[in-house]
Amino acid sequence: MRLPHKLFIAGIAGATTVLSFAPFYAWPLTLIVLVVLFSLWSGATTPRQAAAIGFSWGLGLFLAGVSWLYVSLHVYGNMPALLAGVAVFVFCCYLALYPALAGWLQARLKVPPLVRFLLLMPAAFTGAEYLRGWVVSGFPWLIAGYSQTPSELAIAPLAGYAPVVGVFGISGLLALTAGAIVVASPKLSGTVLPVARRRALFITTAIVWLGGIVLGAYQWSAVSGKALSVSLIQGNIAQHLKWREDQRAATIETYLELVEQSHGRLIVLPETALPMMLHDVPSHVLAAFRKKAIDNEGDLLLGIAYVDKNAPAQAGYDYYNGAVSLGRSPGQRYAKQHLVAFGEFVPPMFSWVYQWLTIPLSGFTPGSASQPAMQLAGHRVGVNVCYEDTFGAEIAGPLPGAELLVNISNMAWYGRSLAADQHLQFSQMRALETSRWMLRSTNTGLTAAIDEKGRVVKSLPQFARGVLEVDVIPRQGTTPYIRWRDAPVLLLLAAALLFSVIRHHRRTI
């Protein structure tokens, strides 16, 4: 097969991968696509050709999966259409460099077929995904392991490994399975294995997948108290109206009405619910929020930007995107610690980008990485803001102390796209990894309650105004992932790559 044909197939396979994520949840597609990618890599004649195949696969995945960034840049950020399109394409090209690196590495090292398909390829692919989630503040979107979260249609067997090895560990198991399928098929790998070895590969792979089902039935945490009534508010304030001065009063009135309708002991409002700094909120609004929370015998969590005038900064004060509590418990604050590059801050070398963007409240300061869980409505709650819940190791920070997790978001930036559904799926994975309920309060959706098994128990329709009333179960306990986070997976990846390097040098001496 000629290289252009391989690149075309790789690009189509990458784009098809999007169907394995929310809202489609066609999880077997991820395995099929990885089989295609690995078989194309096995047929590459040079490391450069393998890198090109990986790049084409990644470009297809990200152009199909994160093209919604165009909406935030052009429609709401006011960047010219052509420039926004170019910016998204360049960003997708950058993301595609990671699978390209994986392709180059697995082709560069000369190792036996079993080592290549069962160690080197899975380790290179998974390691590249981890790097993508870490370099330049990270963009861990559409990691292969996310495709294994449960849905109403089916339960993905590998989801059971989430409390043990997290999303990157599941990616590694998917890649390992794909490698086993390819090396066991002479037509895909060009390698003919003895029947006994192929049988052993089949049995081992079956054990891995059956192990996921067994682990999925295990309870990693225990109930720590009676059910807590929670009200999750979805204001549905259109992004193009959210920050307009003439709409401020209407927005405040909307949230006052929704809070008044709420029955939960814990009331949660979305990220930057009120379009102003905390010190600019009218006192009667905060008083009304506090009174309602006290009347409900609990607390209210308000997503809002605030300034810390006591914290010295290089120029002026420190501004935070976060949340504050009002109600029976002492007042508490959370400051978002993992900010979005080009949304909430711009790296100094890219400051010129601002001349084309109009993004309100974009000069934020990151909060501390060691913020404890909040004490709300008699329970310990781990709070995170929007994009933060794509980082599993960081979400595990306030655990095992936290009994519940709460995410507040504003996905209105991305319009009617796949972004909100994909983000909901990432929250499902965080619930699985921590064996805790994850509660999501969003501006336009998807507002939802997710149980400790990653199942969406209840949700509001997108682009609808309302209050989601749900009884949630606080839980306690420590999963292996909470204790070790990504360290075991990283050690295994390093060991696999090191073993491959050693075998490469032995063959080339």
Side-chain angles (χ1 to χ4, degrees):
M1 187 186 301
R2 298 176 60 187
L3 180 59
H5 295 156
K6 293 179 180 179
L7 297 180
F8 177 77
I9 293 173
I12 294 299
T16 303
T17 310
V18 175
L19 298 176
S20 65
F21 300 103
F24 311 105
Y25 290 97
W27 64 263
L29 278 177
T30 303
L31 182 58
I32 296 171
V33 165
L34 288 180
V35 168
V36 172
L37 176 63
F38 287 7
S39 63
L40 289 172
W41 275 347
S42 71
T45 56
T46 65
R48 181 176 296 182
Q49 188 177 108
I53 291 170
F55 182 86
S56 182
W57 182 87
L59 191 60
L61 168 64
F62 296 115
L63 284 176
V66 301
S67 58
W68 39 259
L69 288 168
Y70 175 85
V71 178
S72 62
L73 293 177
H74 172 60
V75 178
Y76 299 120
N78 295 318
M79 181 180 282
L82 179 59
L83 188 59
V86 171
V88 171
F89 180 77
V90 170
F91 182 63
C92 290
C93 287
Y94 159 73
L95 297 176
L97 291 176
Y98 291 95
L101 173 63
W104 178 87
L105 179 62
Q106 65 81 33
R108 177 67 179 80
L109 299 179
K110 305 303 180 183
V111 296
L114 285 178
V115 176
R116 177 175 305 283
F117 290 102
L118 300 182
L119 289 180
L120 181 54
M121 276 190 186
F125 177 83
T126 308
E129 285 201 317
Y130 182 83
L131 283 177
R132 175 163 62 84
W134 175 73
V135 176
V136 193
S137 87
F139 190 76
W141 212 270
L142 301 183
I143 299 298
Y146 282 122
S147 66
Q148 302 303 296
T149 52
S151 69
E152 294 181 357
L153 300 177
I155 296 177
L158 294 183
Y161 286 102
V164 181
V165 294
V167 68
F168 292 109
I170 295 176
S171 284
L173 291 173
L174 280 167
L176 177 63
T177 302
I181 292 173
V182 174
V183 75
S185 173
K187 291 184 178 180
L188 296 177
S189 65
T191 300
V192 180
L193 294 179
V195 174
R197 284 194 174 182
R198 280 188 287 172
R199 184 181 297 116
L201 280 175
F202 173 78
I203 294 173
T204 302
T205 303
I207 290 173
V208 168
W209 283 72
L210 289 173
I213 296 174
V214 173
L215 287 172
Y218 184 77
Q219 283 293 350
W220 294 97
S221 61
V223 176
S224 61
K226 296 180 179 179
L228 173 68
S229 59
V230 179
S231 301
L232 303 173
I233 291 179
Q234 184 169 294
N236 194 35
I237 308 298
Q239 190 62 35
H240 71 281
L241 301 176
K242 184 175 177 66
W243 297 99
R244 279 176 41 177
E245 290 284 343
D246 61 340
Q247 296 295 315
R248 178 174 293 186
T251 298
I252 291 175
E253 187 60 32
T254 293
Y255 281 109
L256 284 172
E257 292 177 359
L258 291 173
V259 167
E260 189 58 35
Q261 298 170 17
S262 301
H263 303 292
R265 288 188 60 208
L266 176 59
I267 303 172
V268 185
L269 279 68
E271 177 187 17
T272 57
L274 302 184
M276 62 194 76
M277 303 296 290
L278 177 61
H279 62 264
D280 291 326
V281 179
S283 58
H284 76 275
V285 175
L286 296 178
F289 286 167
R290 182 179 291 107
K291 181 180 183 302
K292 180 61 178 179
I294 293 174
D295 289 346
N296 286 11
E297 300 183 348
D299 295 288
L300 178 146
L301 187 66
L302 169 65
I304 195 162
Y306 64 87
V307 59
D308 184 356
K309 296 184 178 181
N310 296 319
Q314 292 182 349
Y317 301 122
D318 284 349
Y319 294 88
Y320 298 99
N321 181 12
V324 299
S325 70
L326 303 164
R328 286 198 166 190
S329 303
Q332 300 152 83
R333 294 185 178 188
Y334 172 79
K336 186 176 183 181
Q337 57 181 288
H338 203 127
L339 303 179
V340 181
F342 302 104
E344 294 168 320
F345 81 99
V346 172
M349 67 180 67
F350 295 103
S351 58
W352 52 271
V353 172
Y354 263 143
Q355 64 182 298
W356 288 295
L357 285 173
T358 305
I359 298 178
L361 297 178
S362 54
F364 285 117
T365 302
S368 169
S370 59
Q371 298 175 76
M374 284 187 172
Q375 293 285 342
L376 302 174
H379 295 279
R380 299 179 301 278
V381 180
V383 178
N384 52 90
V385 180
C386 198
Y387 182 66
E388 286 187 309
D389 76 339
T390 61
F391 299 90
E394 295 178 7
I395 293 301
L399 296 163
E403 301 168 275
L404 302 167
L405 296 174
V406 168
N407 176 269
I408 58 174
S409 297
N410 176 27
M411 301 301 289
W413 281 102
Y414 309 109
R416 296 181 181 275
S417 67
L418 298 177
D421 294 282
Q422 292 169 353
H423 195 197
L424 173 68
Q425 189 173 38
F426 305 157
S427 291
Q428 290 179 265
M429 182 59 68
R430 301 292 85 83
L432 279 165
E433 290 170 344
T434 61
S435 193
R436 299 293 195 279
W437 281 60
M438 169 68 86
L439 310 176
R440 307 185 75 247
S441 176
T442 69
N443 177 21
T444 56
L446 291 161
T447 295
I450 304 166
D451 71 11
E452 79 282 1
K453 292 296 183 181
R455 298 168 296 208
V456 179
V457 175
K458 202 172 182 182
S459 65
L460 289 177
Q462 201 171 1
F463 301 107
R465 183 170 297 171
V467 180
L468 182 66
E469 302 282 3
V470 60
D471 290 333
V472 306
I473 309 298
R475 305 187 71 87
Q476 61 185 0
T478 302
T479 67
Y481 184 79
I482 290 174
R483 185 181 301 278
W484 303 110
R485 305 188 193 182
D486 295 317
V489 173
L490 294 178
L491 287 174
L492 288 173
L493 294 179
L497 292 174
L498 179 60
F499 181 79
S500 299
V501 169
I502 293 173
R503 291 301 301 266
H504 166 76
H505 283 298
R506 286 181 178 177
R507 295 191 65 168
T508 55
I509 291 177

